Amino acid sequence: MYDISRRLGPDELKKQSRNIGKNELIQIVAEYSDHFVGILNDARQFVYINEAYFKNNAHLADLIGYRPGEVFKCIHSEEHSAGCGNSESCRFCYAGNTILQTIFKDEKVINQGRMLVTLDNRISAVDFEVKTVPFRMENERFILFFLTDTSRIKQSELIERAFFHDVLNSSNVLTSLVSISKISSEYIENADRIIESSITDIIEQIYFFKKLKNSEAGTFHPDFEVIDLLEEIEALVNTVKNTSWVEGIELELSTAGLGEELKTDRIIFRRIILNLLKNAFEASRPGDEVKLAIYLRDDYIEIHVNNPAVMPEEVRMQVFQRSFSTKGEGRGIGTYSIKLFTENFLKGRVAFTSEEGRGTTFVLTLPRQ
C-alpha cells in the first residue's frame, strides 16, 4: 500500500539527484523550458528542478527533497507534520491528485488546477496546468512534472465574467425600479432612497473590481478612512433587505449597543460584508434565518455571519480558492476576494466553521486602528 507520508533521507535524495543530473536529455528538456519542470521520486519529492524557472533563486539545491506544495508555498503544505499531501485539504488538490494518478496507474496525466500560495507574506492565487509523465531510471520510478502558470489568463477571464455578471444584475434591478417609479412611486416605499442606494451599489462594484484587478497585479493600495461602524452596518443591512436574495429569509442583526469607529478601506469593507451576507442568503432556504453579529474585543472587532446550512466537505476544503464555486461558470471570486483583501491589505483574518446543528459561520476579524 502506498504510504503518502513517506520521505527519502538525504543520502538517497543525493544519489537520485546526482543520477538524474547526469541525464543530458532531461537537462535539455528542463533548461529550455520557460515553465516549471521538475523530477519527482516515488515519494513525491523533487530530485531535480530546472534553474531556468527560478532565475533569481540562489538556493535551488535547498529545494531538493521538497514536495510541490512546499516549493510553491501552498497555504496547506504546513498544516500536517508530514508536509505536502497529508492535510485534509490536500485530498482535493489538483496537482497532488495528478501525481498520485500517475503513480498508481503508471500513465501520463494532464489536469487544470488552482492553489492558494503565500508569497512575501501575502496570499495569492495560482491557476495552472499540470502534466505528469512516468519514467524509470536504474530500476527506480520517477515522474517528470511540468507546471504551466495560467493565472493571468484565468484571472482576467474570471474578473471580467464576475464584473459583468454583478454589474448587469444590479443594473437590471435599477432599471426595474426606475420603470415602476415612473408609473407611481407609491408602488415602492421610499422609492427614491432605494434607487439612490442601487446607483451607489453599482458605482461601488465598479470601484471594487478595479481594486481587485490592481491587487492581483500588485499595484493596489488601500484607501484607509475612519468610518462609523454601526452606521455602515445598518446601511448595508438596508441594502440587503432590498435585494432578491432575502425573499422568505429573516436577517437578525446584533450589535450590542455598538458605537465604534473603524479605520479601513470603506469600499472594500462594504463589499466584504455584502459578499458574506450574499453567500449566507444564497445558502439558505425560505424560513431560515441569517444572523449578523458584531463583537468588540480589546483592540479589534469580530463580525460573525451565520446561516443554518452546512457545507459539504469538498466545498469546505476549497472555499477560499479563486474560481472555485458551486454557483456555475463565472463565479467563485467572492470568498477568495474576502480572504485576499482582509489578510493582505486590511491586516485582519477571516475563518469559518461549518457543522451540523450550528450551521456555517464566517468570522471576520479586523483591527480597530
Side-chain angles (χ1 to χ4, degrees):
M1 185 174 180
Y2 185 75
D3 183 0
I4 200 166
S5 64
R6 179 177 68 94
R7 285 180 183 266
L8 300 189
D11 291 339
E12 292 177 279
L13 287 169
K14 285 181 182 178
K15 179 183 176 182
Q16 289 182 339
S17 182
R18 186 168 55 248
N19 290 338
I20 290 290
K22 293 177 182 178
N23 190 301
E24 292 185 8
L25 180 59
I26 288 177
Q27 291 184 32
I28 291 172
V29 169
E31 297 311 314
Y32 284 89
S33 173
D34 293 330
H35 307 295
F36 180 90
V37 181
I39 307 293
L40 294 162
N41 60 27
D42 66 354
R44 301 178 296 114
Q45 294 170 276
F46 282 112
V47 294
Y48 181 89
I49 294 175
N50 64 323
E51 294 184 7
Y53 188 82
F54 293 99
K55 295 182 175 64
N56 300 318
N57 193 330
H59 305 288
L60 194 60
D62 294 342
L63 298 178
I64 298 301
Y66 280 34
R67 290 172 174 158
E70 296 156 3
V71 168
F72 293 102
K73 308 293 185 184
C74 170
I75 64 171
H76 302 297
S77 63
E78 296 182 356
E79 290 179 352
H80 192 281
S81 59
C84 170
N86 290 273
S87 76
E88 289 187 12
S89 299
C90 295
R91 290 187 289 119
F92 301 95
C93 173
Y94 294 88
N97 287 329
T98 301
I99 295 167
L100 291 176
Q101 190 174 342
T102 292
I103 290 174
F104 295 147
K105 296 186 177 181
D106 197 34
E107 64 183 18
K108 179 179 75 174
V109 182
I110 301 175
N111 266 323
Q112 304 286 330
R114 65 183 80 90
M115 72 174 89
L116 284 179
V117 301
T118 303
L119 298 174
D120 300 323
N121 294 318
R122 287 189 172 183
I123 292 172
S124 180
V126 177
D127 292 277
F128 56 82
E129 178 183 87
V130 60
K131 181 189 299 182
T132 52
V133 182
F135 71 96
R136 290 183 178 272
M137 181 179 290
E138 297 186 2
N139 295 320
E140 289 189 280
R141 293 196 307 172
F142 295 96
I143 297 172
L144 193 57
F145 180 91
F146 298 91
L147 188 140
T148 302
D149 191 331
T150 58
S151 299
R152 288 189 177 182
I153 298 172
K154 295 288 185 180
Q155 169 210 339
S156 179
E157 291 176 350
L158 180 63
I159 290 178
E160 184 175 294
R161 286 198 301 265
F163 172 78
F164 285 117
H165 177 274
D166 290 356
V167 172
L168 284 174
N169 275 358
S170 298
S171 298
N172 288 335
V173 171
L174 178 60
T175 300
S176 299
L177 288 170
V178 172
S179 298
I180 295 174
S181 67
K182 283 181 178 179
I183 300 172
S184 174
S185 60
E186 294 177 3
Y187 285 101
I188 304 177
E189 185 179 355
N190 301 318
D192 292 342
R193 180 182 59 77
I194 297 173
I195 290 172
E196 182 181 2
S197 175
S198 297
I199 293 172
T200 300
D201 184 58
I202 292 173
I203 293 171
E204 286 186 356
Q205 286 182 35
I206 294 170
Y207 276 115
F208 170 74
F209 279 104
K210 181 180 179 181
K211 289 172 182 278
L212 180 59
K213 186 175 181 180
N214 289 343
S215 72
E216 297 262 307
T219 59
F220 172 71
H221 300 283
D223 299 315
F224 284 110
E225 61 180 292
V226 176
I227 64 172
D228 184 305
L229 186 55
L230 181 58
E231 184 178 294
E232 289 294 339
I233 292 295
E234 288 180 340
L236 289 169
V237 168
N238 287 329
T239 297
V240 168
K241 286 181 176 179
N242 292 314
T243 66
S244 59
W245 325 326
V246 303
E247 189 172 348
I249 303 169
E250 295 295 322
L251 173 58
E252 177 187 303
L253 174 62
S254 175
T255 58
L258 184 68
E260 185 72 16
E261 290 184 338
L262 178 69
K263 190 173 185 180
T264 190
D265 184 306
R266 182 175 177 272
I267 289 178
I268 295 302
F269 174 78
R270 286 175 59 87
R271 301 321 299 184
I272 287 174
I273 303 302
L274 283 172
N275 276 328
L276 288 173
L277 288 172
K278 184 175 183 180
N279 288 342
F281 277 105
E282 289 183 343
S284 302
R285 297 176 296 182
D288 286 345
E289 182 178 61
V290 170
K291 299 177 182 178
L292 171 61
I294 304 175
Y295 303 94
L296 295 183
R297 308 305 185 192
D298 290 339
D299 54 357
Y300 59 92
I301 64 165
E302 282 185 1
I303 299 175
H304 295 217
V305 178
N306 170 269
N307 73 84
V310 177
M311 296 182 190
E313 183 182 27
E314 182 179 1
V315 176
R316 293 201 310 271
M317 295 298 108
Q318 303 181 78
V319 70
F320 290 121
Q321 292 279 5
R322 183 178 68 188
S323 75
F324 174 78
S325 176
T326 60
K327 302 171 187 174
E329 185 74 13
R331 309 296 294 275
I333 208 165
T335 47
Y336 163 68
S337 67
I338 291 169
K339 191 171 185 67
L340 175 78
F341 283 117
T342 299
E343 300 190 4
N344 285 356
F345 302 105
L346 301 187
K347 303 176 183 178
R349 299 187 308 275
V350 60
F352 73 94
T353 59
S354 190
E355 53 188 293
E356 291 292 342
R358 299 192 177 198
T360 298
T361 303
F362 278 83
V363 180
L364 180 71
T365 304
L366 294 172
R368 294 196 195 186
Q369 295 295 328

